[in-house]
Amino acid sequence: MTAVGDGLSRRPVPRARGGAVQSVRDSLVVAQRNLIRMMRIPEVVIFGLVQPIMFVVLFSYVFGGSIAVGGSTDPSTYRQFLMAGIFAQTVTFATAGAGAGIADDMHKGLIDRFRSLPMARGAVLTGRTLADLVQTALTLVVLAIVAVIVGWRVHNGIPKALAGFALLLLLGYAFSWIGALIGLSVRTPEAATSGGLIWLFPLTFISNAFVPADNMPTVLRHIAEWNPFSATVQAARQLFGNLPPGYPVPSAWPMQHPVWASLIWSVVIVLVFRSLSVRKYRSATA
């Protein structure tokens, strides 16, 4: 225990117990709390499912016959090409919700109550991001079912398909730490939502998610080819077997080795933004 005060009275503040095991245990407790909260507000989950389903239907049937992929304008070819991009967009757009949730907890004083407990300081953020990861995984399951209904298929077997989904979830988990940092840096949940989306739109649209990058102007093409979002989309397409015949693979290293590029990008983002988020959390609640 440590004591803090104004010199006249001293109030004990619990000190967090150390150790990796304790940190993991605290993180799981916080994750459980957030999952229970999500279950009690089902409309949040439902609305989170509606948007990606709309994207699947709209892009598949509105743009399906208008965009050439690998020299083909067949709508079914575009649906195979599209789905990895929709999956990746779904896991990354969950970042805004993660940031808004953390900002809401800060605004309501819940974080201050957590600080009064002898728990690992990073457990609050880790637990929140893990809960968001579970919600994102459930969303991907539903979205994959919808994709199968509209004609999407995997062609390289179940193990590689699962590896593709694992890379997508890893990217979503990495981006949730960016959302956590945004949530800790603003004053209201509304600002966190806006701040969480404003950088996601250029990131997802200046990529190979919805159109081949070789159709873009030179500068945008280079940005798209080195975009971590594009690397994960390319890796998922490769693992799903959704790259159409004749599809030109850019010479950029991330596009030539998308699985490794996706892993490297995601791990680097987690390491950097988790460190920044935990530091921000400590300074914001000190």
Side-chain angles (χ1 to χ4, degrees):
M1 302 282 282
T2 60
V4 297
D6 56 4
L8 298 177
S9 61
R10 301 180 70 82
R11 177 172 56 87
V13 177
R15 175 176 291 171
R17 295 185 290 271
V21 174
Q22 183 63 38
S23 179
V24 170
R25 186 179 304 163
D26 292 342
S27 298
L28 292 177
V29 170
V30 175
Q32 182 182 23
R33 172 257 173 191
N34 282 287
L35 288 172
I36 292 173
R37 182 187 180 190
M38 291 174 186
M39 292 173 61
R40 291 177 178 174
I41 314 176
E43 57 267 26
V44 175
V45 179
I46 293 172
F47 291 152
L49 286 170
V50 170
Q51 179 178 315
I53 291 174
M54 288 177 58
F55 271 113
V56 170
V57 175
L58 289 174
F59 274 86
S60 296
Y61 293 102
V62 175
F63 299 110
S66 304
I67 299 176
V69 179
S72 172
T73 56
D74 184 356
S76 63
T77 300
Y78 182 68
R79 290 190 198 108
Q80 305 302 311
F81 174 85
L82 170 70
M83 285 315 306
I86 295 292
F87 291 148
Q89 184 191 53
T90 300
V91 300
T92 53
F93 270 41
T95 300
I102 291 174
D104 187 49
D105 287 344
M106 291 282 291
H107 183 69
K108 292 179 178 178
L110 183 64
I111 299 298
D112 291 333
R113 278 175 268 174
F114 279 135
R115 289 188 69 243
S116 68
L117 301 174
M119 62 187 299
R121 288 291 177 256
V124 174
L125 301 179
T126 302
R128 174 75 204 199
T129 54
L130 288 175
D132 290 328
L133 180 64
V134 172
Q135 182 180 356
T136 302
L138 294 175
T139 303
L140 270 185
V141 170
V142 175
L143 193 57
I145 294 173
V146 175
V148 169
I149 292 174
V150 301
W152 174 73
R153 298 291 185 271
V154 295
H155 303 283
N156 284 343
I158 298 301
K160 286 189 176 182
L162 293 176
F165 282 115
L167 285 178
L168 290 164
L169 289 174
L170 180 59
L171 179 73
Y173 180 71
F175 277 25
S176 69
W177 282 106
I178 302 178
L181 182 61
I182 293 173
L184 291 168
S185 303
V186 298
R187 297 182 180 180
T188 64
E190 293 80 9
T193 301
S194 299
L197 289 174
I198 196 170
W199 63 277
L200 281 172
F201 277 103
L203 185 80
T204 54
F205 281 94
I206 305 178
S207 73
N208 61 357
F210 308 114
V211 296
D214 61 324
N215 293 336
M216 299 180 182
T218 303
V219 174
L220 292 183
R221 186 177 71 247
H222 289 314
I223 294 173
E225 291 171 354
W226 287 89
N227 185 342
F229 184 84
S230 293
T232 301
V233 171
Q234 186 79 354
R237 285 192 183 120
Q238 188 179 92
L239 292 168
F240 294 154
N242 290 157
L243 288 173
Y247 179 75
V249 178
S251 59
W253 187 87
M255 297 296 99
Q256 293 287 334
H257 309 277
V259 174
W260 281 108
S262 176
L263 284 171
I264 292 170
W265 271 119
S266 295
V267 170
V268 169
I269 291 171
V270 169
L271 292 177
V272 171
F273 283 92
R274 187 184 188 280
S275 176
L276 293 174
S277 297
V278 172
R279 183 181 301 176
K280 182 68 176 179
Y281 169 78
R282 289 173 176 170
S283 64
T285 59

